[in-house]
Amino acid sequence: MRHGKYPFVYGFLIPPVVLYLVFVIGPYLQSFYISMTDWRGLSPEVRLIGLDNFARVFQDEMFWKALRNHGQLLLTVPLFTLAIALLFAFLLNVAGRSAGNAIGGLRGSTFYKIIFFFPQVLSIAVLGVLFQLVYRPDEGGLLNGLLGKAGIAPVGFLTDPDLALWSIIAVMVWSHVGFYLVLFSAGMAAIPKELYEAAAIDGAGRARTFFTVTLPLLRNHVQTGWIYLGIGVLDYFVLIKVLSVDEGGPDGATTVLGMQVWKSAFTNYNFGYASALGVVLFFIVMTFAMVTMRFTRNREEIEF
């Protein structure tokens, strides 16, 4: 039995590893090769040009605009999403009182979780179409219709370069809060109630209990959420393509690297340059993930 164990295990491991190498690692390696060519995707002719595509990337004004937009997304989307989700999860799971005045969730908390989670069941394209109607620049839009009733002139939420990216950020935050609310709720359910009771005996209020008990014990959940959201906004494409004016406009105000890859490959048919942009995006994502894990790796401590 002991000698037959390893062939049995390897028999299950080898097929998925082979599939991963062929369908994940293989395309990555292929993109590295294509990034050093001038291939236009329309013929089998490929000419190696070295690092010329990468030199062009760093001289491209739209690349730097996309990078600045990514920086704004990285600073705002994870911060607002996780903060709101943590607040709502704490209110729904800990801020209430159960029988005997013990720590408990609010009445109807399950219903609220379902409502907050609802955007997760909608596809990103559907969300984009819905918020096109919400952000319409005339009084036919939901927001401008409400503003019109208050005597305020219509606002170009998606056509004003100063508002367009913030409008899309609001949709990103709204659509992700429900998922992290459920994630943090599951983490809070695993925290022993005795810790909250000890904090209450020591006179800790709700805010102090949150920062000294709940948040330290949810550190791993927050770290995972931050990395996941960071990678998500670095690779965000569909929602921005649907909502933005002229695919990343106005005037590049909402463009991201994914949008530049799309335009280079399927509008300009320059697959070599598109692959170079993809390779740069790959290293940016990997660097972000490693730096985030390095600086958020702390042991959990509880101190009243």
Side-chain angles (χ1 to χ4, degrees):
M1 290 293 292
R2 187 176 184 82
H3 294 290
K5 179 177 65 174
Y6 293 108
F8 177 78
V9 173
Y10 292 147
F12 277 95
L13 287 179
I14 289 175
V17 169
V18 171
L19 289 174
Y20 185 81
L21 290 174
V22 172
F23 292 106
V24 178
I25 302 300
Y28 273 118
L29 296 177
Q30 189 178 25
S31 68
F32 285 121
Y33 169 72
I34 294 174
S35 68
M36 293 185 289
T37 70
D38 63 352
W39 187 49
R40 303 190 66 82
L42 299 175
S43 70
E45 297 179 3
V46 178
R47 183 171 64 95
L48 286 172
I49 58 174
L51 300 177
D52 289 358
N53 283 326
F54 293 96
R56 181 182 164 194
V57 165
F58 293 107
Q59 295 171 359
D60 189 346
E61 180 185 357
M62 293 305 294
F63 167 77
W64 293 108
K65 282 189 176 182
L67 207 58
R68 285 195 296 270
N69 291 336
H70 278 302
Q72 185 173 343
L73 291 170
L74 276 175
L75 289 174
T76 55
V77 175
L79 178 63
F80 292 149
T81 302
L82 297 180
I84 294 171
L86 277 169
L87 174 63
F88 286 173
F90 185 75
L91 292 175
L92 292 177
N93 293 278
V94 180
R97 293 286 182 178
S98 60
N101 205 35
I103 298 294
L106 293 177
R107 181 177 299 177
S109 59
T110 302
F111 172 76
Y112 292 124
K113 291 174 188 176
I114 293 173
I115 294 299
F116 283 122
F117 190 79
F118 178 72
Q120 288 292 311
V121 306
L122 300 175
S123 72
I124 297 176
V126 171
L127 284 176
V129 172
L130 287 175
F131 276 90
Q132 279 183 336
L133 301 176
V134 172
Y135 287 142
R136 273 183 58 173
D138 53 38
E139 293 191 359
L142 177 61
L143 290 181
N144 278 318
L146 295 174
L147 293 175
K149 293 183 182 299
I152 301 175
V155 177
F157 291 101
L158 297 176
T159 57
D160 186 337
D162 296 327
L163 291 178
L165 188 59
W166 285 107
S167 299
I168 295 176
I169 286 172
V171 180
M172 292 180 181
V173 172
W174 177 82
S175 64
H176 285 98
V177 162
F179 175 83
Y180 291 98
L181 167 63
V182 174
L183 175 68
F184 295 147
S185 295
M188 290 178 189
I191 298 175
K193 298 297 183 185
E194 292 80 4
L195 293 177
Y196 289 115
E197 293 169 1
I201 292 172
D202 287 346
R206 287 285 184 264
R208 189 177 175 191
T209 299
F210 173 78
F211 286 107
T212 58
V213 178
T214 305
L215 190 57
L217 292 175
L218 290 180
R219 188 184 301 277
N220 289 336
H221 295 74
V222 175
Q223 175 184 330
T224 302
W226 195 281
I227 294 173
Y228 183 78
L229 276 170
I231 293 174
V233 299
L234 284 172
D235 197 30
Y236 235 99
F237 166 69
V238 176
L239 185 65
I240 293 176
K241 187 176 189 304
V242 175
L243 281 179
S244 64
V245 177
D246 192 26
E247 297 184 342
D251 194 26
T254 60
T255 192
V256 291
L257 288 179
M259 184 67 69
Q260 294 306 306
V261 171
W262 166 270
K263 285 185 174 181
S264 298
F266 300 107
T267 301
N268 301 327
Y269 294 101
N270 192 338
F271 282 79
Y273 183 68
S275 296
L277 284 167
V279 170
V280 172
L281 178 60
F282 168 79
F283 283 108
I284 291 174
V285 170
M286 293 299 295
T287 301
F288 167 79
M290 289 187 293
V291 170
T292 303
M293 293 182 68
R294 172 66 182 84
F295 286 99
T296 58
R297 187 171 52 196
N298 295 313
R299 65 187 181 91
E300 296 168 350
E301 294 181 352
I302 299 177
E303 213 177 278
F304 300 135

